[in-house]
Amino acid sequence: MRKFIWGLLVVIFIGGLVFLGLNSSKTLMTSDSGKITENEFMADIKKSSAGQQEFANMVINKVLAKQYGGNVSKSDVQDAFDTQKAQYGDSFKQALASNNTTEDQLKINIKNNLIMTAAVKANYKITDKQLNDAYKNYHQNTTISLITAKNEDAAKKAIDDLKSGDNWKTVYAKYTADKTYAKQDGQLPAFDSTSTAVDTAIQEAAFKLNKSGDYTNTPVTGSNGGYYVVTLNKKTNKPSLNSVRNKLSDQIVSSFLNDQKNTSKIQAIVGKILRKENVNVKDSQLKNTLNTYMTAGISSSK
């Protein structure tokens, strides 16, 4: 997931606490050494860097949701969630547990990220050169079948069997460790180069294959360290730039957001939106939490 503003751990750390109420004196803990009240707890959170960052996140999320939340549908969130879940496979629940989060919390985080993308897209001018360059590197819808081998040696043996003339169905059944698409003999849904559902390394290997039946001659190492064998089933004709303009624009914005070199530019975009909405922090302890955003881009725009 995108790392720019909303880290999962920060969301989890504070997400269930912001509703406690700053004015409550409810006792949270008692001991022979004393007690801790909600007031004390929240006061301590407000002083912490994590608490201040989460306050900034809350403000940004609230403002962006009002302005750009309509650009993100429930199906958008669900699709992104399903993609994340598919990438983790059987270890998805373990990944949630290790981050002390739930599916609902993850969906909230995904929604915030999609809204941020919509906000940046609306305020970031994509040049014709960027679009043309993205189109040159664009690969059209491609359908592949995939063997997920248990290790590199198994992947090599699968390739050797294919070279010996064994058919794909037989080799797939013998060597794949992932049965998600077993009924289709490992065939994945079609994807293009803007897809986030298929590992980049697998995509790159697939796009190098030329005709139906071609397969990778060496094991493909995924970003997760797994080993794969890819065979090409079908490749469509490359569509016109105009027909994929929106996809390419989203890809450009996503790359922009994920490049740490653009942090100050992103902060300037967010700051411009916050200033337009007349954001004014009243609490003295939290007064400066948004300074990075509120002042970003002002001097350079004069």
Side-chain angles (χ1 to χ4, degrees):
M1 280 184 290
R2 194 168 295 119
K3 299 178 181 178
F4 172 56
I5 289 181
W6 301 283
L8 260 182
L9 294 179
V10 175
V11 173
I12 296 159
F13 170 71
I14 202 84
L17 307 177
V18 294
F19 302 106
L20 289 173
L22 293 175
N23 297 318
S24 172
S25 59
K26 178 182 177 181
T27 299
L28 300 178
M29 185 278 294
T30 60
S31 73
D32 292 341
S33 302
K35 66 179 182 180
I36 296 177
T37 66
E38 285 184 358
N39 272 337
E40 292 174 310
F41 183 45
M42 295 306 293
D44 192 57
I45 287 175
K46 285 167 65 178
K47 294 175 185 176
S48 70
S49 59
Q52 292 187 3
Q53 178 61 63
E54 179 57 19
F55 175 76
N57 292 347
M58 289 179 67
V59 174
I60 293 168
N61 291 343
K62 187 175 187 67
V63 172
L64 296 189
K66 178 187 174 185
Q67 297 297 319
Y68 303 100
N71 296 345
V72 177
S73 67
K74 288 183 179 179
S75 62
D76 292 333
V77 176
Q78 188 62 48
D79 288 346
F81 173 84
D82 290 341
T83 297
Q84 289 287 328
K85 187 174 182 178
Q87 288 176 347
Y88 281 100
D90 293 338
S91 63
F92 179 65
K93 288 185 179 180
Q94 181 182 348
L96 290 177
S98 65
N99 282 288
N100 192 30
T101 191
T102 65
E103 291 189 1
D104 287 341
Q105 287 172 318
L106 178 58
K107 286 180 181 179
I108 291 171
N109 197 53
I110 288 172
K111 182 178 181 179
N112 288 336
N113 277 276
L114 291 175
I115 291 174
M116 165 60 83
T117 299
V120 171
K121 186 177 179 181
N123 291 275
Y124 174 64
K125 182 174 176 55
I126 296 174
T127 66
D128 289 340
K129 184 180 185 307
Q130 285 176 301
L131 274 172
N132 288 327
D133 287 345
Y135 182 67
K136 287 178 183 177
N137 295 317
Y138 173 77
H139 291 273
Q140 63 270 37
N141 273 350
T142 301
T143 305
I144 65 169
S145 290
L146 185 73
I147 292 173
T148 303
K150 64 178 181 180
N151 52 42
E152 186 178 14
D153 185 56
K156 288 180 177 178
K157 287 180 179 178
I159 293 170
D160 287 341
D161 285 0
L162 289 171
K163 289 179 178 179
S164 297
D166 290 351
N167 63 48
W168 175 267
K169 183 175 182 177
T170 300
V171 177
Y172 171 81
K174 184 176 179 179
Y175 290 103
T176 193
D178 184 355
K179 305 291 186 178
T180 303
Y181 296 101
K183 291 182 179 179
Q184 299 85 20
D185 297 324
Q187 181 172 301
L188 276 58
F191 59 88
D192 64 8
S193 56
T194 67
S195 170
T196 58
V198 179
D199 188 289
T200 302
I202 295 173
Q203 287 191 40
E204 291 176 353
F207 297 145
K208 290 177 182 177
L209 300 175
N210 296 314
K211 64 181 185 297
S212 177
D214 285 355
Y215 54 87
T216 49
N217 289 314
T218 57
V220 176
T221 305
S223 58
N224 62 354
Y227 295 96
Y228 304 92
V229 181
V230 179
T231 188
L232 177 65
N233 298 327
K234 182 182 178 182
K235 191 179 288 187
T236 63
N237 294 325
K238 188 171 182 175
S240 67
L241 189 154
N242 281 336
S243 65
V244 293
R245 181 180 295 271
N246 196 50
K247 277 186 173 184
L248 295 178
S249 296
D250 288 343
Q251 186 181 49
I252 291 168
V253 171
S254 180
S255 296
F256 174 77
L257 276 167
N258 286 320
D259 190 340
Q260 291 186 349
K261 293 184 294 185
N262 296 323
T263 298
S264 61
K265 294 179 182 178
I266 297 167
Q267 289 170 341
I269 290 173
V270 173
K272 180 181 178 181
I273 298 170
L274 296 181
R275 292 192 297 272
K276 187 176 180 181
E277 283 295 296
N278 298 312
V279 170
N280 184 11
V281 179
K282 304 293 187 181
D283 188 280
S284 59
Q285 285 183 294
L286 301 172
K287 191 75 175 176
N288 299 321
T289 54
L290 290 164
N291 279 359
T292 302
Y293 303 98
M294 299 296 281
T295 60
I298 293 180
S299 59
S300 61
S301 64
K302 291 183 179 179

